Amino acid sequence: MSIRLWSAALALLCACASHAQTQAQTQAPAQAWPARAVRIVVPFAAGGPADNYARFIAQRLQESLGQSFVIDNKPGGGSVLGTDIVAKSPADGYTLLLMSNTHTVNETLMAAKPFVLMRDFVGIAPINYSDLVLVAHPSVPANNLKDLLRLAKERPGKLNYASSGPGTPYHMAGELFKSMAGVYLVHIPYRGSSGARTDVMGGQVDLMFDAVTTMAEVVRAGKVKAIATTGLQRSNVLPDVPTVHESGVPNYEATIWLGLMAPKGTPPAIVARLNEAVSKIASQPDVKQQWGKQGATPMVMSPTVFEKYLQDDIAKWSRVIKTANIKAE
């Protein structure tokens, strides 16, 4: 009997030691990380909202975690180029992806791309979301949505709109608008939002759906006309501008949101530490106030909840793309 008791006790001790070792191995990567600079790949051009907020988060993460967070802009292919770089990077927490709803759209719109979002990446945390604003060059003979809808129906295919590329929130906002409003606008894709914005201000392109965080100052300067915003409620940044929803296209809503992901296989402890750091940044009163003035609302979710959010958004845009028969250009 004593031998059996000793054997059971020894087995229990071994099991406890093994569990402790496993816990130590799981926690070790997070305790040692980051030991060097972390790269955040932004698969969009410099100067747009995604780039600006990536730089803001990078600076705050550097202050919080004590290592450099370096922004690496890799635009191209509707975000596919930069995203594929991250997908093929080591899953060690030193290469992260700044992503947006462009990525959830592309799961249906660009099914032949070299990666699958939920297979090749793990969700870390969302950052924020903001409404868009539909703007027109001052030469366009429409000052509100009613005028624009009438003009578009009188001149089908004569009006065009710019976007930062196929599958981006700006493109999808335009396609959703065309589908729900029953009008035909020609899509003019650019490699980034800066070029699209410049050409709308210059009159080379008629219209653009752009982030209210970026375009509000341009509207106030009179360089473009604000036709409507894209939330269900008016934007606190442009409160005098009506929504598409209230101006003739009921239930229309389009936003841009941003988040962080990492290559699949990144240690859960590192993912958890990053999530905690990003969530703390987004929850700080000064950040809420600063982003609120720009028209952006912080988003805070656990990695598990964020991944569910991503899956739901993929399903949402899949329905829109298939119903409207939207094709990649």
Side-chain angles (χ1 to χ4, degrees), residues 66-220:
Q67 284 288 350
S68 297
F69 280 74
V70 181
I71 299 301
D72 187 5
N73 293 95
K74 296 291 184 182
S79 81
V80 171
L81 176 63
T83 304
D84 192 43
I85 290 172
V86 181
K88 292 179 169 61
S89 296
D92 56 7
Y94 289 98
T95 304
L96 309 177
L97 173 70
L98 189 287
M99 52 88 65
S100 75
N101 37 335
T102 296
H103 290 80
T104 53
V105 167
N106 281 348
E107 287 302 287
T108 302
L109 193 65
M110 299 183 179
K113 63 192 183 312
F115 57 85
V116 176
L117 194 68
M118 304 310 292
R119 180 195 70 193
D120 298 324
F121 292 89
V122 59
I124 294 173
I127 297 172
N128 62 30
Y129 75 90
S130 58
D131 294 339
L132 308 179
V133 57
L134 171 59
V135 298
H137 184 263
S139 65
V140 176
N143 294 317
N144 53 55
L145 193 68
K146 183 179 178 181
D147 290 346
L148 182 64
L149 290 174
R150 184 177 63 250
L151 186 66
K153 289 175 181 178
E154 289 173 352
R155 307 177 187 177
K158 297 298 183 182
L159 290 174
N160 53 42
Y161 77 99
S163 84
S164 52
T168 60
Y170 313 117
H171 173 213
M172 297 309 297
E175 294 302 312
L176 185 62
F177 176 76
K178 287 164 57 176
S179 175
M180 293 182 69
V183 296
Y184 177 56
L185 308 173
V186 177
H187 177 219
I188 309 295
Y190 285 74
R191 282 180 56 85
S193 57
S194 295
R197 195 174 299 119
T198 297
D199 279 3
V200 172
M201 288 189 287
Q204 286 79 25
V205 185
D206 299 317
L207 308 165
M208 182 179 180
F209 286 87
D210 199 359
V212 71
T213 53
T214 303
M215 192 56 82
E217 289 301 320
V218 181
V219 170
R220 294 190 189 102

Side-chain angles (χ1 to χ4, degrees), residues 2-20:
S2 60
I3 293 175
R4 289 179 182 174
L5 288 172
W6 276 110
S7 298
L10 183 60
L12 180 61
L13 285 171
C14 290
C16 290
S18 176
H19 178 69

Side-chain angles (χ1 to χ4, degrees), residues 255-280:
T255 63
I256 180 171
W257 54 260
L258 303 170
L260 283 176
M261 300 188 84
K264 185 72 78 175
T266 299
I270 292 178
V271 172
R273 190 172 180 198
L274 269 168
N275 177 274
E276 181 183 13
V278 173
S279 297
K280 282 184 177 179

